[in-house]
Amino acid sequence: MTAPRLGLPNLGFGVGLRNVHLDHILRHGPGVDWFEIISENFIGHHGYARHALDRIRAQVPVVMHGVSMSIGSSDPLDRTYLSKLKQLAEEIEPVLISDHLCWTGVVGINAHDLLPMPLDEPTYQHVRQRVEAVQELLQRPLVLENPSSYLQFTCSPMAECDFLARLARETGCGLLLDVNNVYVSSHNHGFDPEHYIRQLPPEHIVQIHLAGPTDTGDLLIDTHDRPVPARVWQLYVLAQQCCGVDSSGDSTVSTLLEWDANIPAYPELLIELDKARQTLRGEIVAPAIDADVTPPSPSYSTPIAFQLREEHAVAP
Amino acid sequence: MPSLHDVQHWLLTVMTTPGGAERGAALARQHHGLAAGELVHANAVADPMRRLGVYADGYLMRLYDCLAADYPMLQRVMGDDVFGFFARAYLWENPSHSPTLYDLGAGFPAFLARHRPPQTAADDGMWLLPVELARFERAWLETMRDHGPEHAHNQALTASPWAAMNVTHWTVPPCVRLLDLKLPLIPFWQAMAASDEVPQCPQSENSLVAITRMHYRVSAYPLTYWQYGMLDALRQGCDLHQASRRVENQDMPQERVLADWTLWIPVAQELGLLVAAPQHQRD
């Protein structure tokens, strides 16, 4: 067991819990060290998915990952949402609660997308006081993920990595480092992804996300619909190296594989997750290629398959 | 330097304006006095409009796909083009105000009902079908998610109607939806589920339906007038006596209602339509 970071343990290797896999997991076991759920999928949900979650969380730890906190919005914090989030956390006892450094809407409208902010001093102070307010309400450190982005505002004198690093140091919040998002944004905006990762305070990084993006020919889009490309594996190794190893030589930060569209069968998902273990052991991940190039076409800027309808017929 | 609110309002206008990012950017410039080229970085990878297009295209696609996922049979009945026309109009008129996409399609049945094409009679089956089917599919989705009867401890009663007679307080689980439809949709729904073909539109006819859940499986059952009335009254807080008074009529006096009710209770329990109220609710 490695030393807790911000009081949070290294959970090992996990995947995002998706409806299509529930039956398999209940029949054959988790096959992973832990799961991440999308918080909004379970707020107010008292059906089969919740029943399955209750059975699964009796076997392995679960963390809650949200997409609607809108920590960067200029709207007031949604206290109703936050109280429901807290209620869910009291019921399912997640190891941690995370969301994204982004805004999802304004003037009461939710775009259901992880939208970029202008990164300047007023925005920083705004986000900082909101993170502190959320941590006060939840009575635990909030964990924030770096999102993928497709535009940067000209009125942004701060780099995202510096913004996040300062936020973590000054509020005590945790960081969910999505190395795929670093890869996507670095390509789209032309910055050095390794510099980005090295700028983050490693003692605040409590989780790492892996996923596969789509190359549309110009922009990379964070589609979570394919295997992790070689460059993301390289960044993953760097991120784990930055966070250090324990006395046994093992990594110290929890790893999670996300897959939200064209979702493979559960055993295939576990094979992809196992590449993370192989990569950390220094074994070569094959094939060593970058993301497939897909002709430019409209793509989700944020995948939402995890929020789509459940199957009608489910086995209890 | 524009404020955070101005920048966010500007981007939301660009993303959500019907017609895509170009039209959105033009409208956002009019409303907020901010131009895409001045606000968004360009580099060799992509220009500002391409970048804004990712968010604008994604916005509509994401919400449209959620609506299509919530109304799969409606989409089959209407066809992709007609469904897409109404879905896009609905999304433009009703942007999401909820943290969860589950709420997105809640108003779609009412939206369809409000937008009856001109020169179409209100009882025209071809028009009623999408409206009533949308109500049916939404109810199905709600039944999947709401509190069900799975944790109720009254299933031992199902073996005997005589045991049920000792229970005077019944509740309808929150997940049960009672529908008063203008078309007989259950056979239509079953035919849709069994085949890729879209069956003939059913003849107009009043139909009372319960959508219910048992062991996390959702199903639909036809109800008689008095069954629907009793369940509806119980849901509104009536006790058995009050409920049966509501339902009674010349053809079915209160005593007959209560007698039939007692015989029907085991069936209703098996279907997940009823659970015995917890002791504290009976006291």
Side-chain angles (χ1 to χ4, degrees):
Chain A
M1 180 63 90
T2 56
R5 316 168 71 85
L6 301 182
L8 300 170
N10 174 14
L11 297 171
F13 297 85
V15 296
L17 186 65
R18 303 295 177 251
N19 286 331
V20 293
H21 294 143
L22 292 179
D23 285 353
H24 181 98
I25 294 166
L26 291 180
R27 287 200 178 103
H28 304 288
V32 296
D33 300 326
W34 61 288
F35 287 105
E36 180 184 83
I37 65 162
I38 301 300
S39 308
E40 288 77 4
N41 284 3
F42 291 92
I43 290 176
H45 196 314
H46 309 282
Y48 174 68
R50 175 57 189 272
H51 163 74
L53 173 63
D54 286 339
R55 289 177 60 183
I56 289 166
R57 73 185 186 85
Q59 301 175 60
V60 292
V62 166
V63 309
M64 282 169 46
H65 186 50
V67 291
S68 285
M69 188 176 288
S70 205
I71 199 76
S73 173
S74 54
D75 276 0
L77 280 171
D78 184 341
R79 298 276 172 181
T80 304
Y81 166 77
L82 289 171
S83 63
K84 289 179 180 175
L85 190 72
K86 187 176 184 186
Q87 172 69 34
L88 181 67
E90 287 169 357
E91 291 171 10
I92 68 168
E93 301 173 315
V95 175
L96 60 84
I97 300 175
S98 63
D99 205 291
H100 301 79
L101 180 70
C102 73
W103 59 287
T104 58
V106 70
V107 294
I109 294 173
N110 192 338
H112 297 283
D113 202 348
L114 310 175
L115 302 169
M117 300 176 295
L119 301 176
D120 57 10
E121 187 63 23
T123 301
Y124 176 78
Q125 294 302 337
H126 176 72
V127 172
R128 175 189 164 155
Q129 63 89 14
R130 285 162 71 95
V131 169
E132 288 171 343
V134 169
Q135 293 186 147
E136 176 71 20
L137 191 143
L138 297 178
Q139 290 292 297
R140 60 166 81 205
L142 176 64
V143 177
L144 284 176
E145 175 182 349
N146 57 299
S148 284
S149 65
Y150 311 103
L151 67 80
Q152 287 180 317
F153 292 104
T154 51
C155 49
S156 287
M158 299 170 72
E160 185 179 277
C161 54
D162 296 332
F163 191 103
L164 266 174
R166 183 178 166 194
L167 193 64
R169 291 191 176 105
E170 294 186 3
T171 67
C173 74
L175 297 177
L176 196 175
L177 173 55
D178 189 317
V179 287
N180 171 61
N181 289 348
V182 175
Y183 170 58
V184 166
S185 294
S186 70
H187 169 87
N188 293 341
H189 307 310
F191 63 75
D192 177 1
E194 297 186 8
H195 171 77
Y196 184 108
I197 291 170
R198 289 195 173 96
Q199 286 300 106
L200 299 177
E203 67 277 14
H204 284 265
I205 298 172
V206 296
Q207 190 182 325
I208 295 176
H209 268 179
L210 294 162
T214 296
D215 184 344
T216 62
D218 50 8
L219 296 168
L220 291 182
I221 308 286
D222 181 31
T223 47
H224 297 185
D225 64 348
R226 62 195 65 211
V228 178
R231 181 60 174 142
V232 173
W233 287 120
Q234 291 168 358
L235 297 175
Y236 172 63
V237 171
L238 173 65
Q240 289 283 11
Q241 286 171 345
C242 288
C243 292
V245 294
D246 64 12
S247 55
S248 308
D250 292 329
S251 64
T252 56
V253 179
S254 312
T255 298
L256 184 112
L257 173 66
E258 295 180 296
W259 206 312
D260 290 305
N262 301 326
I263 299 176
Y266 197 68
E268 290 175 48
L269 191 70
L270 297 191
I271 290 170
E272 186 68 9
L273 178 65
D274 198 46
K275 290 181 186 173
R277 297 184 184 91
Q278 295 171 39
T279 301
L280 292 183
R281 288 197 299 265
E283 298 166 15
I284 296 171
V285 172
I289 55 171
D290 268 341
D292 294 337
V293 176
T294 302
S297 63
S299 299
Y300 290 150
S301 41
T302 298
I304 45 81
F306 49 73
Q307 288 187 279
L308 296 186
R309 183 179 192 157
E310 297 166 41
E311 293 298 314
H312 283 185
V314 290
Chain B
M1 186 82 81
S3 69
L4 178 64
H5 174 80
D6 289 345
V7 171
Q8 292 181 336
H9 208 171
W10 176 86
L11 180 54
L12 198 69
T13 304
V14 174
M15 289 173 63
T16 59
T17 298
E22 291 280 356
R23 290 184 65 178
L27 189 66
R29 183 170 191 162
Q30 277 182 11
H31 284 186
H32 307 288
L34 299 168
E38 296 164 8
L39 211 50
V40 176
H41 264 302
N43 68 7
V45 174
D47 63 27
M49 288 315 303
R50 162 67 176 137
R51 294 171 184 277
L52 290 166
V54 172
Y55 290 106
D57 294 342
Y59 172 76
L60 194 60
M61 285 172 60
R62 181 182 306 108
L63 301 188
Y64 176 86
D65 283 357
C66 283
L67 216 52
D70 283 356
Y71 294 97
M73 294 220 186
L74 179 65
Q75 187 177 24
R76 280 173 59 195
V77 166
M78 296 177 93
D80 291 347
D81 290 345
V82 176
F83 179 85
F85 173 81
F86 280 100
R88 281 188 289 275
Y90 172 73
L91 294 171
W92 285 324
E93 191 177 304
N94 302 274
S96 173
H97 291 273
S98 168
T100 166
L101 286 164
Y102 163 68
D103 294 331
L104 181 70
F108 197 40
F111 175 85
L112 291 174
R114 283 199 307 274
H115 291 82
R116 176 157 49 97
Q119 300 169 335
T120 305
D123 60 351
D124 183 328
M126 289 303 290
W127 166 242
L128 281 176
L129 180 59
V131 173
E132 299 293 77
L133 189 57
R135 290 178 62 203
F136 196 98
E137 289 204 280
R138 178 65 196 179
W140 192 283
L141 182 62
E142 291 174 356
T143 300
M144 286 174 67
R145 290 178 55 104
D146 216 330
H147 287 280
E150 287 84 7
H151 297 295
H153 299 293
N154 67 329
Q155 299 313 309
L157 292 173
T158 59
S160 162
W162 313 118
M165 289 179 70
N166 294 324
V167 178
T168 55
H169 288 69
W170 297 94
T171 60
V172 180
C175 73
V176 172
R177 294 293 180 272
L178 302 173
L179 297 176
D180 182 352
L181 299 168
K182 297 183 178 68
L183 295 172
L185 275 190
I186 291 181
F188 183 86
W189 174 274
Q190 289 167 338
M192 287 279 290
S195 162
D196 291 337
E197 300 292 317
V198 175
Q200 286 283 318
C201 177
Q203 292 293 314
S204 179
E205 174 190 323
N206 278 0
S207 165
L208 301 173
V209 171
I211 299 185
T212 180
R213 192 175 91 205
M214 198 56 168
H215 304 306
Y216 299 105
R217 290 183 183 278
V218 178
S219 45
Y221 293 94
L223 296 176
T224 63
Y225 159 77
W226 67 265
Q227 290 167 343
Y228 182 97
M230 288 293 287
L231 293 173
D232 192 35
L234 289 176
R235 167 156 285 175
Q236 291 175 36
C238 294
D239 60 25
L240 276 184
H241 178 75
Q242 294 166 327
S244 56
R245 288 297 298 269
R246 275 199 192 184
V247 170
E248 69 173 341
N249 58 29
Q250 274 192 325
D251 298 331
M252 196 168 187
Q254 187 182 16
E255 297 75 19
R256 172 76 186 283
V257 172
L258 285 170
D260 284 4
W261 167 261
T262 303
L263 291 172
W264 185 60
I265 283 174
V267 176
Q269 281 185 286
E270 295 257 7
L271 299 179
L273 294 170
L274 277 180
V275 293
Q279 188 64 45
H280 68 273
Q281 287 184 24
R282 298 183 217 166
D283 298 336

